[in-house]
Amino acid sequence: MASPALGRALRRALAARALRPGALAVGLALALAVFAAAVAWTVVERDGGRAHVLAGTAACWAAAAGAWLVLRLAERRGASKRWVTLAVVLGLLGAGAAALAAPPSTSNDSARYAWDGIVQKAGISPYRDVPAADALADLRPSWLFAAECDAGSPHFPTGDVVTTSVPSGTPLCTAINRPHVPTAYPPVAEVYFLLVRLPLPSSAAWLAFQTAGLALAVVVALMHLQAMRHEGRPLSWAALWAWNPLVLLEAVNNAHVDVLSAALLLGASILLGTSILSVRRAVASGVLFGLAVATKLIPVAALPGMLRNRPWHVIAGASLAVLVAYVPYVAVSGPAVIGYLPGYLSEEGYTSGDATRFALPGTVLPPPAALVVGLAAVLAVWVWVWVRRNTMSPAAAQTIAVGWTLIITCPSYAWYSLMLIPLAVLGRRQEFLIVPLALQAVTAIAGTDAGPAVSRVAMAVAAAVILATAVRRRRTRQLVERLGPASS
């Protein structure tokens, strides 16, 4: 009869054999295959409604976490930098291909992107005429417009919008949301829409912006890998962006332009974080920041973290970028370049502080008061970050400013947090990755009776996790400081 010691030795030998590099490579390949399958199942299945979106999102996060843990284990056991780099990039490409397996699954925003690009390609300002205008009827491709919606079954994969042409009043079915208002997107986004559509015929459909989203996601991953290699950090942390379900579902499948803001903002943060910040780098960082703001406006929340070194040079670069981006469109469209942005903010409840926006203040305050307190809280966070900006890296400061802004304002759209993920990874504030996860829950339940309650719970959990991590980090730092003199 074998002794217990022999049994333990045998188990250790088997465990060691199972964790050899070859076995880890196979394990990682299987984990990434599961992740890609979860992404594909989430975007292809369209009959399960909100329950399917929630289940698919949860499956993607669980699979991504498992794949990342295997990658970390392989790295700790001596996997080369080249091996880890290939794993991160190939994992992103594999899951990205799965995200391309179907048209946008939960958002029709890319329909507006395509239309704005088609209109600009024809030499027309996207701020001038609305999509339903009869004057633009000759530009309408069949994959975005139909004479009328089919009864009983959607005409477009992202859902039908039943409307009428203006001013004729003839029936019109379209995939574009808000077809009776001008675009709300700033000029850099419009340039991106034009560039993606420029080489394509108007018949080219959803895949164009989805592919562009995947290309930008790869660029961000490569920027992370280069920055971490320069800092001597484990390269596996780059997978927190590359294999993030929000990136695959919203930047690739739903093709949201926010991924462009994320790439520009990350570039600005990397330039700002160099040990010796020259005037040229400061201005270049400001330019990238200004371009990010002129893409989606939301990156302005990172401003307090941008004003660390040479702040006036950063501001000058950002102002120049915004000015150069807006001037051509203002010259053509005048004040109309503002587009539907004011109406959009009002529609989404940001000017009234409705029950879903400003979820945490709204727990105890009525809407008008929740709006005031929420805005005051955002301002307080920005001031705190600005005061403390020299005690942390620019990326960490930007992460705190952006992360808490999202928690306090609680947008209904999870893709607004795409710009937070690269900053959290670069700034070593991984606890803020709970914000995209929380906002995905908010987005999945938005518009239902449970929406306000889910928003409050999700934001409260995110805030509690971040605060608890901050307390633990501070205690660890204090312990190290106390032990430092004694150990020396």
Side-chain angles (χ1 to χ4, degrees), residues 255-424:
H256 286 291
V257 70
D258 303 68
V259 67
L260 176 59
S261 285
L264 292 167
L265 189 56
L266 178 62
S269 186
I270 290 174
L271 285 176
L272 198 62
T274 53
S275 56
I276 300 177
L277 185 65
S278 64
V279 171
R280 181 179 297 180
R281 281 182 174 271
V283 173
S285 177
V287 168
L288 291 177
F289 175 67
L291 293 175
V293 172
T295 299
K296 199 63 189 288
L297 299 184
I298 306 169
V300 75
L303 179 61
M306 292 293 300
L307 304 179
R308 186 187 186 199
N309 298 321
R310 300 188 184 275
W312 292 113
H313 293 92
V314 172
I315 291 174
S319 301
L320 177 63
V322 172
L323 182 65
V324 170
Y326 268 92
V327 163
Y329 286 95
V330 171
V332 173
S333 306
V337 75
I338 297 175
Y340 186 60
L341 182 60
Y344 172 80
L345 293 174
S346 176
E347 180 182 313
E348 292 297 318
Y350 288 108
T351 59
S352 61
D354 72 8
T356 305
R357 303 294 75 72
F358 301 99
L360 292 182
T363 304
V364 295
L365 297 171
L371 171 64
V372 173
V373 171
L375 293 176
V378 169
L379 180 60
V381 168
W382 289 9
V383 170
W384 184 90
V385 169
W386 182 78
V387 170
R388 301 274 299 175
R389 66 194 184 283
N390 290 323
T391 65
M392 63 188 88
S393 70
Q398 293 155 14
T399 299
I400 294 170
V402 173
W404 280 106
T405 298
L406 291 172
I407 290 173
I408 295 167
T409 58
C410 189
S412 287
Y413 306 122
W415 52 89
Y416 284 12
S417 61
L418 276 170
M419 68 172 184
L420 173 64
I421 301 170
L423 298 176

Side-chain angles (χ1 to χ4, degrees), residues 9-283:
L10 181 59
R11 286 194 295 271
R12 285 196 296 268
L14 290 174
R17 182 178 179 85
L19 293 177
R20 286 179 178 177
L24 286 172
V26 172
L28 181 60
L30 291 174
L32 288 174
V34 171
F35 178 43
V39 171
W41 179 72
T42 302
V43 303
V44 170
E45 172 60 46
R46 294 176 180 273
D47 296 329
R50 295 180 189 271
H52 171 76
V53 172
L54 285 169
T57 301
C60 288
W61 277 94
W68 184 78
L69 289 174
V70 176
L71 180 65
R72 282 289 290 156
L73 181 59
E75 189 174 43
R76 287 174 175 174
R77 289 188 171 268
S80 68
K81 293 183 181 298
R82 182 180 180 183
W83 191 93
V84 176
T85 298
L86 286 174
V88 170
V89 175
L90 293 177
L92 171 55
L93 291 175
L100 297 176
S105 56
T106 57
S107 172
N108 57 7
D109 283 2
S110 61
R112 171 73 77 159
Y113 303 170
W115 175 247
D116 285 0
I118 291 169
V119 166
Q120 290 181 90
K121 190 175 176 180
I124 301 170
S125 169
Y127 302 103
R128 192 187 77 180
D129 297 303
V130 302
D134 288 319
L136 303 180
D138 291 342
L139 298 177
R140 296 171 181 167
S142 59
W143 66 277
L144 284 179
F145 294 90
E148 56 184 79
C149 294
D150 297 334
S153 62
H155 189 88
F156 304 107
T158 58
D160 298 348
V161 177
V162 182
T163 185
T164 57
S165 293
V166 290
S168 66
T170 57
L172 184 66
C173 182
T174 180
I176 301 172
N177 59 43
R178 304 178 183 90
H180 281 267
V181 301
T183 189
Y185 294 100
V188 173
E190 292 297 337
V191 172
Y192 171 70
F193 302 157
L194 173 60
L195 291 177
V196 172
R197 296 296 313 185
L198 197 58
L200 302 173
S202 60
S203 59
W206 309 100
L207 192 60
F209 281 102
Q210 292 178 310
T211 304
L214 177 57
L216 285 170
V218 171
V219 168
V220 172
L222 294 175
M223 291 167 69
H224 273 137
L225 288 165
Q226 179 59 31
M228 290 172 184
R229 188 177 289 108
H230 178 74
E231 296 176 4
R233 294 173 56 187
L235 300 184
S236 58
W237 291 102
L240 293 177
W241 160 269
W243 302 349
N244 193 294
L246 185 73
V247 175
L248 278 304
L249 298 177
E250 301 299 349
V252 182
N253 178 255
N254 285 325
H256 286 291
V257 70
D258 303 68
V259 67
L260 176 59
S261 285
L264 292 167
L265 189 56
L266 178 62
S269 186
I270 290 174
L271 285 176
L272 198 62
T274 53
S275 56
I276 300 177
L277 185 65
S278 64
V279 171
R280 181 179 297 180
R281 281 182 174 271
V283 173

